[in-house]
Amino acid sequence: MERISWDQYFMAQSHLLALRSTCARLMVGATVVRDKRIIAGGYNGSVSGSVHCIDDGCYVIDGHCVRTVHAEANALLQCAKFGVATDNADIYVTHFPCLQCTKQLIQSGIRTVYYAEDYHNHKYAIQLFKEAGVHTEKVELDYLAVDTNYQEKAKLMESVLQKLEAVDDEEAQILQEQVKKLF
């Protein structure tokens, strides 16, 4: 059996962290790594003790939800809170960082940003990364061990099951049983 690569391992960790997100618009996770060791993780969510988007809806100003602290910022703040240096560390993020997170990553000494998905890649953010000598690299998650679309798939399969129940056919019944075993 082939082992999962380091990039896939850390990106999977970021996708797992994203599942803790409390923003209904976009779930993002970030993992800070130094010398192949995870030193912090974060996801986008509301300020501690405050209302969450999933409970009260997103608070959108100029097209952006301002209720949440971004995943990258939460990971960096976790390092600051516990006195863990981020200089020369790398970060794995599920989505390309926004402009504000880009500036925070540069200021914190992050040397490489690995991201799984493009997301409004701001031209100035790309320029700032280049000027600062921060390498950016797209690393899509190849392994499906972390399914970030599980809830949507489960809802779809539930509607398929309901339609199959209305069909009086042996093949439909076999498909129904297979779906029930998977979910």
Side-chain angles (χ1 to χ4, degrees):
M1 178 178 101
E2 186 179 328
R3 289 174 50 178
I4 188 172
S5 73
W6 286 112
D7 285 343
Q8 289 295 302
Y9 172 75
F10 296 129
M11 193 57 74
Q13 177 69 29
S14 294
H15 278 83
L16 187 60
L17 283 161
L19 295 175
R20 289 282 306 153
S21 171
T22 61
C23 184
R25 296 180 72 202
L26 184 68
M27 297 169 73
V28 181
T31 305
V32 181
V33 175
R34 187 185 316 102
D35 300 324
K36 295 192 177 20
R37 300 287 180 259
I38 296 171
I39 61 174
Y43 53 87
N44 57 328
S46 298
V47 173
S48 297
S50 187
V51 67
H52 297 283
C53 297
I54 58 174
D55 297 327
D56 208 31
C58 290
Y59 183 15
V60 179
I61 297 177
D62 295 330
H64 299 283
C65 179
V66 296
R67 188 180 304 266
T68 62
V69 178
H70 289 190
E72 303 93 324
N74 268 327
L76 294 175
L77 289 166
Q78 185 181 70
C79 288
K81 187 174 184 176
F82 295 106
V84 178
T86 55
D87 201 33
N88 292 315
D90 302 321
I91 193 165
Y92 289 78
V93 191
T94 57
H95 296 77
F96 191 87
C98 73
L99 184 55
Q100 293 305 316
C101 287
T102 294
K103 293 186 273 186
Q104 293 168 19
L105 293 168
I106 291 168
Q107 289 300 97
S108 67
I110 295 293
R111 67 177 177 190
T112 306
V113 175
Y114 298 96
Y115 63 99
E117 296 180 40
D118 292 300
Y119 184 73
H120 304 299
N121 302 22
H122 198 284
K123 289 179 184 180
Y124 188 49
I126 296 167
Q127 178 186 332
L128 285 174
F129 278 140
K130 285 181 184 175
E131 288 174 2
V134 174
H135 176 71
T136 59
E137 184 176 332
K138 190 170 187 175
V139 176
E140 295 178 13
L141 185 62
D142 292 336
Y143 297 87
L144 298 178
V146 177
D147 187 353
T148 58
N149 296 316
Y150 173 79
Q151 292 174 330
E152 292 85 359
K153 289 176 184 176
K155 286 179 186 175
L156 174 64
M157 291 314 298
E158 184 62 37
S159 67
V160 169
L161 273 176
Q162 288 174 357
K163 293 206 184 291
L164 284 174
E165 287 174 5
V167 177
D168 188 26
D169 176 277
E170 186 177 330
E171 188 178 353
Q173 289 176 351
I174 292 170
L175 288 172
Q176 237 178 328
E177 291 304 314
Q178 290 175 339
V179 169
K180 286 179 181 177
K181 284 180 186 177
L182 284 175
F183 291 92

